[in-house]
Amino acid sequence: MTDPGLTAPSANPIGGIWRTTSGIVVCKVVANGAAAGVALLTARQLGPSGRGVVVLLLTLAGFISVVGSMGLNLASRIHLVALDGRMDPADYLGLSAVLTVAVGVLSVALGVVLLPLVDVHLSAAEQLLFGALAGSILAPFLLNAAINAFGFTARAAAVDAAGTVAQLLVTVALFVGGSRRVDAYIAAMVIGNVLQVGLALAALRPAIGSVRPRFQRSRWARVVRTGLPGIAVDLSGILTFRLDRYLLGLFLGPAAVGVYSVAATAPEILRLPALAMGQPIFHRLASGTAKVEDFGRTRVYCLLVTAALAASAFLVAPFAVRILFGSQYAGAVTPLRVLLLAEFGITLFYIDGALVAAAFSRLGDAAIAAVAGCLVVVVADLVLIPSHGVVGAAWGSVVAYSVTGLAAHGILRYRLRSRAPVR
């Protein structure tokens, strides 16, 4: 079973893409609105330092989860629907469960070493909560990848939105209760993620029947081999998009991270149309029901939408930051405006990265673009953050995201010229 318009080739495959994308956009708007609500409430209740600690915990947990995923999220979208040698969903669920537990344990160990470097000090109980956070990030991440693999792209977005809304509701309860404990708000995120796991399993059941995992290691080797380049894609992506938080914490402390996280909230909403569009495009190409040429104008449309949203955000930024977050976050306005420029590169990467990875089954190509951006952001942040603080981090992101997007676009053009698909 798949979402309407995604099951078979048609004379106008882009029509089904736009219909599905509109549903995904709605869900993504809800999810990002809920996430923005969580950011707003934690920022006001915890202040820049407390909000910075939350962001640093989420950032490090995200890094560890991506490495621990073994690229399974990307490989699954090929092997679960492959025309030959298809992976059994039970094996996928078993491997996902093992990786989730491993990530939780690894996070506790790494948190002891890496968090004090950014002036975040946790008790033993808080370290365990941090491990639970990392595991609860990975589990729905892998399950949503399976939902997308079977073509339930809009449903996957709805599941993600429901989990984020659950986080918001618990956060609202804490806010109304006057809680100022960072660990309480982290627990709220874990609760939302666990709920999302249950919803994701329910969404998968119509496609695979049973959601009982199977633990047979001999069946995991092929998908792991395919997924290894995906680690580079995901890790480089999250490093490119999130490493600036950790480096800000390293150089300037959690308060600067808190201000920067507010600056990044609005620009990240601009990438929703491209992110939503990339999901059904990937499924169409990977399942052979469309070809790259069907999406010739998609990139232009997404860039135009990004430009319109960026112009609007630039104008309202000073008022929005002051009204929503308060005067203590006034320093977020300038980096927010700078970060709007970075979204053009991300839009290009989401569209062209999906095209080259799905049409040519070359996760390594997408990895090259992501690694290029990662290397640039590391160098740029190390140079700019010490001298220009949060604004320097924003400009570093602009350069890095632009390099990532242009690299993906250049690789796609090369593959189209050479016409040498792997499969």
Side-chain angles (χ1 to χ4, degrees):
M1 296 179 64
T2 56
D3 287 340
L6 292 178
T7 55
S10 66
N12 182 27
I14 192 63
I17 291 291
W18 281 111
R19 288 192 299 272
T20 303
T21 297
S22 63
I24 296 175
V25 167
V26 170
C27 293
K28 291 295 184 183
V29 167
V30 172
N32 279 264
V38 171
L40 171 62
L41 295 177
T42 53
R44 295 191 70 94
Q45 193 78 335
L46 301 176
S49 294
R51 172 62 188 169
V53 171
V54 170
V55 172
L56 288 168
L57 292 175
L58 288 171
T59 299
L60 186 56
F63 290 163
I64 299 170
S65 297
V66 165
V67 175
S69 73
M70 301 293 289
L72 188 61
N73 59 302
L74 293 175
S76 68
R77 296 174 67 180
I78 295 173
H79 287 295
L80 285 174
V81 295
L83 297 179
D84 59 330
R86 183 173 299 179
M87 183 183 192
D88 193 299
D91 296 319
Y92 177 84
L93 294 176
L95 179 54
S96 297
V98 170
L99 293 177
T100 296
V101 173
V103 159
V105 174
L106 180 63
S107 297
V108 173
L110 291 179
V112 173
V113 177
L114 298 178
L115 288 172
L117 298 178
V118 290
D119 201 24
V120 176
H121 304 278
L122 304 181
S123 66
E126 289 168 340
Q127 289 286 0
L128 293 175
L129 180 61
F130 175 65
L133 174 65
S136 74
I137 289 174
L138 179 60
F141 177 64
L142 294 179
L143 291 174
N144 264 31
I147 299 172
N148 278 310
F150 287 108
F152 290 90
T153 49
R155 190 174 300 181
V159 169
D160 181 59
T164 312
V165 169
Q167 290 183 0
L168 175 60
L169 293 176
V170 181
T171 300
V172 168
L174 293 172
F175 182 86
V176 172
S179 176
R180 296 184 180 275
R181 293 175 57 91
V182 169
D183 57 350
Y185 289 96
I186 294 298
M189 297 175 187
V190 173
I191 291 171
N193 290 340
V194 171
L195 174 63
Q196 187 177 333
V197 169
L199 294 175
L201 290 173
L204 269 177
R205 191 181 296 275
I208 65 178
S210 173
V211 292
R212 183 185 297 275
R214 182 167 55 210
F215 301 93
Q216 294 187 13
R217 289 180 295 174
S218 60
R219 298 175 180 265
W220 298 343
R222 185 184 179 203
V223 70
V224 170
R225 284 196 300 270
T226 301
L228 288 178
I231 297 178
V233 175
D234 288 332
L235 182 59
S236 297
I238 195 170
L239 285 174
T240 303
F241 301 151
R242 292 289 184 267
L243 182 63
D244 45 10
R245 276 76 162 172
Y246 190 83
L247 292 177
L248 276 170
L250 191 63
F251 285 113
L252 303 177
V257 178
V259 171
Y260 189 78
S261 72
V262 168
T265 298
E268 289 178 354
I269 296 176
L270 272 62
R271 66 190 64 167
L272 292 184
L275 179 61
M277 181 68 74
Q279 301 300 327
I281 284 176
F282 195 106
H283 173 72
R284 278 290 184 101
L285 292 173
S287 60
T289 59
K291 56 185 183 297
V292 173
E293 288 76 10
D294 293 324
F295 312 112
R297 297 182 180 179
T298 303
R299 179 190 308 106
V300 175
Y301 293 150
C302 286
L303 287 171
L304 289 174
V305 171
T306 299
L309 293 174
S312 301
F314 184 91
L315 294 174
V316 304
F319 315 103
V321 169
R322 184 176 66 252
I323 294 171
L324 295 177
F325 294 94
S327 58
Q328 58 186 335
Y329 291 97
V333 174
T334 298
L336 187 159
R337 285 175 158 173
V338 172
L339 285 169
L340 293 172
L341 298 173
E343 295 305 312
F344 292 94
I346 296 178
T347 295
L348 199 58
F349 175 70
Y350 279 158
I351 298 300
D352 287 356
L355 290 172
V356 73
F360 298 95
S361 295
R362 299 188 69 98
L363 298 182
D365 282 353
I368 291 172
V371 169
C374 179
L375 293 175
V376 170
V377 81
V378 170
V379 174
D381 282 349
L382 289 176
V383 172
L384 295 174
I385 288 177
S387 57
H388 296 87
V390 292
V391 176
W395 279 113
S397 294
V398 171
V399 176
Y401 297 0
S402 299
V403 168
T404 301
L406 291 172
H409 182 67
I411 292 170
L412 175 63
R413 290 175 63 88
Y414 170 77
R415 293 298 174 197
L416 290 173
R417 286 196 303 268
S418 63
R419 285 292 179 183
V422 171
R423 56 186 174 86

